[in-house]
Amino acid sequence: MKWIREYFIKKALMKKNKKGVNKEILVTDKIKKVTVIADNLEDLEVVFEVLKESFGQDIALKGIYYDEKSQDQRAFGFRDFSLFGKPGEKVANFLSEKQDLIIFTSELLNNFTLYLLHQMPEPYTIGFYSKELKPYLDLMLNKEVKDIKAGTEHLIKYLKQIN
């Protein structure tokens, strides 16, 4: 059944990319809500720490990561989509909230995580370079270090420099 869901997700991704949306210039001082899409719970927590250090403790953070076996509320998997690739309640709620910034740190590229980026075109989106992510991210850096904390600090540093 997973392959059927992946088929419909791929089909949705092949439709015209919504990145043609005109975006306002992101002012880093006005960032209040940030979404993180990570590989796992540990990476999610580390990125949250970096964001709190960079933007202050009162920033609104939410995160999600792909894990088919986890029962954590922040984990999602192929079972959170219908047989025809429509997002279930958890994913739909995640997509419905307006954000100022999305940070995509996941190295586990799959159609389900790409679908999240595809469905959230308005916020400014940053992450690490990958050929597959090129149409979805507004700012990409090569991941020069394996440490997620240092990599995220570099992302935030460059985001603040260009905005």
Side-chain angles (χ1 to χ4, degrees):
M1 297 307 238
K2 180 180 176 183
W3 69 269
I4 294 173
R5 290 180 178 100
E6 283 191 1
Y7 169 78
F8 285 106
I9 294 290
K10 280 183 188 177
K11 194 172 176 181
L13 288 172
M14 284 186 218
K15 290 182 181 177
K16 186 177 179 182
N17 188 352
K18 295 182 180 181
K19 280 293 187 184
V21 173
N22 290 333
K23 294 183 182 185
E24 294 180 22
I25 296 173
L26 180 68
V27 179
T28 53
D29 295 340
K30 295 186 179 185
I31 294 175
K32 301 292 180 217
K33 294 181 179 180
V34 179
T35 292
V36 178
I37 302 172
D39 278 336
N40 53 52
L41 182 59
E42 294 81 26
D43 287 356
L44 191 63
E45 296 296 333
V46 168
V47 174
F48 281 179
E49 288 175 26
V50 172
L51 290 170
K52 287 179 181 179
E53 291 170 7
S54 299
F55 295 109
Q57 294 294 322
D58 51 331
I59 189 161
L61 300 172
K62 77 174 187 176
I64 198 166
Y65 61 95
Y66 188 82
D67 188 336
E68 295 177 8
K69 297 175 183 154
S70 178
Q71 297 300 318
D72 183 20
Q73 281 299 106
R74 294 177 284 187
F76 78 105
F78 70 90
R79 289 181 181 85
D80 292 306
F81 293 86
S82 74
L83 185 60
F84 299 107
K86 300 290 181 192
E89 184 179 348
K90 183 193 299 187
V91 176
N93 288 340
F94 179 81
L95 293 171
S96 69
E97 295 180 33
K98 184 165 173 33
Q99 300 297 309
D100 299 323
L101 176 67
I102 296 175
I103 300 177
F104 189 86
T105 64
S106 182
E107 292 179 10
L108 302 174
L109 295 180
N110 61 47
N111 293 324
F112 299 105
T113 55
L114 288 177
Y115 179 80
L116 295 179
L117 289 176
H118 182 71
Q119 293 299 317
M120 300 174 81
E122 290 85 13
Y124 203 80
T125 311
I126 65 175
F128 300 111
Y129 178 79
S130 168
K131 189 176 181 180
E132 294 87 6
L133 292 174
K134 208 171 188 180
Y136 303 104
L137 299 181
D138 299 308
L139 171 66
M140 295 190 306
L141 294 178
N142 281 333
K143 192 168 184 183
E144 298 168 355
V145 292
K146 284 288 187 189
D147 179 27
I148 190 72
K149 183 175 182 177
T152 304
E153 287 170 345
H154 282 116
L155 274 174
I156 301 301
K157 174 184 158 190
Y158 286 109
L159 176 67
K160 287 182 175 183
Q161 285 180 353
I162 64 170
N163 290 310

